[in-house]
Amino acid sequence: GAGVSQSPRYKVAKRGQDVALRCDPISGHVSLFWYQQALGQGPEFLTYFQNEAQLDKSGLPSDRFFAERPEGSVSTLKIQRTQQEDSAVYLCASSLGARGYRNTGELFFGEGSRLTVL
Amino acid sequence: GENVEQHPSTLSVQEGDSAVIKCTYSDSASNYFPWYKQELGKRPQLIIDIRSNVGEKKDQRIAVTLNKTAKHFSLHITETQPEDSAVYFCAASAGDKLIFGTGTRLQVFP
């Protein structure tokens, strides 16, 4: 596709439910990032993949959060036993080169998945 | 780790005036500083970036300046237009990832 695609765009979950958020990066992009954006805040780093390898997961807030990119393209962010504090927009971004921004600079963001936990 | 502070949080200007947004960072190893624009309900989009070997960069009405010694960088928008109204985020590199500021909501009044 022409850009980074995320689904679902909107998700309402009851507290305690598991959710899965999908990211389809730009074809050929090596680096993939997940960010969490709370209302009125800047994106906060969650995790980073280079191809299928998860090189940095230091931003995942708890062991309820899990991300994968098994074939080096599509990525899924899974949140288990959702809590109200998980409500946010989850942004996925991809970059052409390895090592994140270093080669090409620009991160291309998706429209985000807005998660609301009731 | 890297910490990025951004101010002001909101900025209102008259069309045609200039707008300046400032950011500071903590990690002296940071070497890449992009600015992203996010319109309501839309994805963040890169508008300009600067690397640490350059002190200033300009693209039409937008310019960014970097002071490595003081660890701060600024976005300057001249001749503002209503379509410049959005939230602007600065960011600084930290390893392979970017750390973002908290954003500045810019409103340009006709």
Side-chain angles (χ1 to χ4, degrees), chain B residues 20-87:
Chain B
V20 180
I21 303 170
K22 299 182 179 181
C23 288
T24 60
Y25 61 99
S26 60
D27 188 352
S28 57
S30 293
N31 60 7
Y32 175 65
F33 307 91
W35 287 87
Y36 281 78
K37 175 183 180 182
Q38 187 175 30
E39 297 178 9
L40 190 63
K42 302 291 186 182
R43 70 189 77 198
Q45 291 191 298
L46 179 72
I47 55 171
I48 196 168
D49 57 12
I50 192 168
R51 295 190 185 266
S52 59
N53 58 347
V54 175
E56 182 173 358
K57 184 177 178 180
K58 191 172 182 180
D59 182 4
Q60 299 183 332
R61 296 186 297 108
I62 295 173
V64 57
T65 58
L66 171 65
N67 183 326
K68 286 168 51 181
T69 303
K71 293 189 198 147
H72 66 69
F73 56 112
S74 300
L75 177 71
H76 304 251
I77 306 174
T78 58
E79 300 171 29
T80 53
Q81 300 168 3
E83 52 265 37
D84 295 330
S85 296
V87 179

Side-chain angles (χ1 to χ4, degrees), chain A residues 77-100:
Chain A
L77 177 66
K78 298 179 179 177
I79 309 173
Q80 297 178 321
R81 304 180 305 281
T82 52
Q83 304 293 316
Q84 285 188 320
E85 61 262 29
D86 300 335
S87 296
V89 175
Y90 291 86
L91 292 167
C92 176
S94 69
S95 181
L96 180 61
R99 304 195 69 194

Side-chain angles (χ1 to χ4, degrees), chain A residues 3-5 9 33 35 37 40-45 48 50 55-56 58 91 98-112 114, chain B residues 6 29-34 36 38 40-47 49 51 87 89-90 92-103 105:
Chain A
V4 178
S5 177
R9 288 292 316 279
F33 300 81
Y35 282 84
Q37 187 174 26
Q41 299 297 312
E44 290 203 11
F45 171 79
Y48 160 57
Q50 182 177 310
L55 298 188
D56 188 342
S58 62
L91 292 167
R99 304 195 69 194
Y101 67 91
R102 293 174 197 257
N103 293 335
T104 62
E106 184 168 3
L107 294 190
F108 293 85
F109 281 88
E111 297 275 7
R114 180 179 296 278
Chain B
Q6 181 173 350
S30 293
N31 60 7
Y32 175 65
F33 307 91
Y36 281 78
Q38 187 175 30
L40 190 63
K42 302 291 186 182
R43 70 189 77 198
Q45 291 191 298
L46 179 72
I47 55 171
D49 57 12
R51 295 190 185 266
V87 179
F89 294 99
C90 63
S93 61
D96 293 321
K97 60 185 177 282
L98 297 178
I99 303 301
F100 286 82
T102 51
R105 181 174 299 280

Side-chain angles (χ1 to χ4, degrees), chain A residues 44-80:
Chain A
E44 290 203 11
F45 171 79
L46 294 177
T47 187
Y48 160 57
F49 290 86
Q50 182 177 310
N51 295 309
E52 69 280 1
Q54 189 175 22
L55 298 188
D56 188 342
K57 53 181 181 179
S58 62
L60 295 177
S62 77
D63 58 8
R64 296 186 296 104
F65 287 71
F66 171 77
E68 61 182 4
R69 193 186 185 198
E71 297 179 359
S73 56
V74 171
S75 177
T76 304
L77 177 66
K78 298 179 179 177
I79 309 173
Q80 297 178 321

